[in-house]
Amino acid sequence: MPLYADIVLPLAQPAYCFSVPDGAEWEALGVGDAVAVQFGQRNIYTGIVWRLHSEPPHLRRIKPIGRRLYDRPLLDAKQMQLWEWMADYYMCTLGEVMRQALPSLIKPRGRSVEEFSMQEFRPRTEKYISLCEGWRSAERLQQEACRIERRAPRRSALLSVLASNKDLTSGAGLLPRRLLDCDAAQIAALCKGGYIDVVERERTAERDMDSHFILPQLTSAQERVVEEIRASRREGRGVHLLRGVTGSGKTEIYMTLMAETLSRGGDVLLLVPEIALTGQLIERLERVFGSRVSAYHSKLTMLRRTETFLRLAHSSGGELVVGARSALFLPLRHLQLVIVDEEHDSSYKQSDSAPRYQGRDTAIVLASLYGAQTLLGSATPSLESYANAEWGKYGYSLLAERYGDAREPRIIISDTMRSVKRGERRTHFNQVLINAIGSALERGEQVMLFQNRRGFAPYVQCSGCGWTPRCPNCNVTLTHHRSTERMECHYCGHTAIVPRFCPQCETADLKGMGFGTERIEEAVATLFPSARVARLDRDTSTSESAYNRIIRSFESGQTDILVGTQMITKGFDFGRVAVVGVLNADNLLLSPDFRSSERAYQLMTQVAGRAGRRQSEGVVIVQTSEPENQTIGFVARGDYEAMARVELADRHAFCYPPYSHIIQLTLRERDQQTLRRAAAHLAERLRTRFGARVAGPVAPPIDRIRGEYILRLMLKVENGRSLKRARELLREELHEAEKSADFKRIIISIDVDPQ
Ligand code: ADP
Ligand code: ZN
Ligand code: ZN
């Protein structure tokens, strides 16, 4: 019997050794089990048994494990392998993966045994009825019902109901108490009469696991794609990329493949980039797959998430889960198909805290562990995936036409400078856009306007001296918000009132410069006073219900014009959008990131895809001061391949992904001098190892956030070189560097494959 257990705790620390107590009940302890352990002075954590062994550790005092939680392992071997892959690849600890992977109710913690127990998950229970021995026969019950009918008519009626329930009469079946329409006294009487027993059991939602799915009839093009995906699997290619233009019916293809997998008893995981958008999708899936569909994302209550997690751990397959990237951690033990919808979407990447993982890439690893197929879908695939398809690593299908009569929207590039010169621009709208909106409204059709900044004005400026209010904690200008009449920092949340006088020259004329969604909303309402205008951005959708209200109102035609940020670009299937306006394409194109052209193409194409999804032709108007820009040209012609060719050539020339992997180190510290010294020192160390593959230190565009200065180092590992070896060397170097005094106060975060 092993004497020790290495246990992973939800902390940024390596696994920690505990002793296994004596006693028969501990003999069954296995890896993957959840246990309660005391760590530190008085914290009790949930930990996962990672390894059992008999090597005495070099610790002064070894604490024993507290107790075992749950009646079976929380993780199976494959989940543990996935966690290990993540910790290794994304350079974090297993504890950090654990923090992310398990809903907090599953991993209670407390400062005392009592507090710990209070936090523990308790399944909701429900009363169930079973028939007593001797009464498990419809005939006997019915006879009894007749016998007592005159004396006890209500009890007799109840017995007839029980007699008609096949589950009950056939033997050991249980009937939820709530399904019986009667009061407590009657149930008590039946118990007393020896007819039934009442037991309290964990509540299980009744789920219909029937496999008669009514699927849409596929078009021949869709049918061909499904066949290609099947062939890809037969040929043993684990990943298949589907590029399907918006409105081509990717969802219908997903549903066909899902049905096949579910009928075989396999589990399906469908990942979507942002859960806010899943409402429509889940409704569509439920129409076909009914109660098999489970949603899993951070907007659900902790109880719901925990119930789903534990229920799946017991499932015998045939599950369909729709979720955000965190759904990757669910125990889908019969996984056969993983679909990543809108695979290009950068919200698949978790950037703000460890593990800084890319959900799409992790999904591929997960699927390969189970021997499942991964299907990546997008109208505008990421260049990483597209290159993998070109290189033959992934299977590839193209679905180039929209479904039915819906035609591709017409894209018009509108030159803002020329508009200004000709006196054809009013506030933020070129004449072409104004005309298009006007005639759409006359026809009773809808309009979407896209602007990628929220708030009223991105910055405020003094007309006297040019002074601009900045955030005291971050190196950014404050955004003016009209609804609150305050200026807000979008990085730390700092707010301030708009000063009446300029503190520098005392001019009383501070103006909001540039424009955000709020200002567009106001301007369009002024141009079209009778139109009903709504706005969808982070400020208006603070709750899920507020978000749903805005979406539903637009869906049902209560709103004519919807103004919004990125939030309006994704996945929606609105019927009557005739015009989509991109108010300022320039600020999409001008970001310094090597992915900016790819992103601009994706974003504009996705917004454009919202237009004309039904019979009428849609029109998309892109306002820009750079009509000759190459990327805008690709968008206008809908030429993804050309965009990809040009971008990939550039990436190749500069050895950027997909021709390399980037590991980015971010160093933060309040004192700028210390930070500079430390970053220079680290850069030097890394250069001795990696040479010219190291870039920096450089300050990011926003080089101070929440009072901390920021510097970055970048390590580029070209394809063909071992990324694993690079991570090992980097770990060693960081370990060494951390010994120097300057590093004591510095916070370093590592981002592998940053986005
Ligand atoms: P995508 O996800 O590729 O943008 P969708 O799957 O949302 O496209 O399909 C666009 C529209 O066309 C939806 O309203 C969908 O119901 C409809 N559609 C697509 N394929 C079919 C089909 N084979 N049968 C019926 N409706 C379809
Ligand atoms: Zn001034
Ligand atoms: Zn700030």
Side-chain angles (χ1 to χ4, degrees), residues 245-247 250 280 342 379 402 409 446 448 554 567-580 602-614 618-620:
V245 299
T246 51
K250 290 188 286 297
Q280 278 190 345
E342 310 287 357
R402 285 189 157 191
Q446 291 174 303
M448 284 176 114
F554 193 63
M567 286 183 128
I568 66 169
T569 64
K570 302 175 187 177
F572 293 119
D573 190 9
F574 297 125
R576 299 188 302 133
V577 180
V579 177
V580 167
Q602 287 163 342
L603 204 58
M604 282 190 265
T605 306
Q606 295 285 343
V607 216
R610 303 307 122 213
R613 286 173 72 92
R614 296 288 187 272
V619 50
V620 180

Side-chain angles (χ1 to χ4, degrees), residues 79-98:
Q79 282 170 290
M80 292 176 72
Q81 272 174 283
L82 183 74
W83 288 26
E84 276 174 355
W85 176 82
M86 285 183 87
D88 175 43
Y89 189 89
Y90 293 109
M91 300 185 76
C92 62
T93 65
L94 283 166
E96 286 168 313
V97 179
M98 175 178 177

Side-chain angles (χ1 to χ4, degrees), residues 216-219 222 244-255 284 287 341-342 379 399 402-404 406 571-573 609-610 613-614:
Q217 183 71 39
L218 296 187
T219 64
Q222 292 169 342
V245 299
T246 51
S248 59
K250 290 188 286 297
T251 318
E252 274 67 21
I253 290 173
Y254 299 162
M255 291 196 286
R284 275 171 81 180
R287 257 176 262 143
D341 192 25
E342 310 287 357
L399 194 55
R402 285 189 157 191
Y403 172 75
F572 293 119
D573 190 9
R610 303 307 122 213
R613 286 173 72 92
R614 296 288 187 272

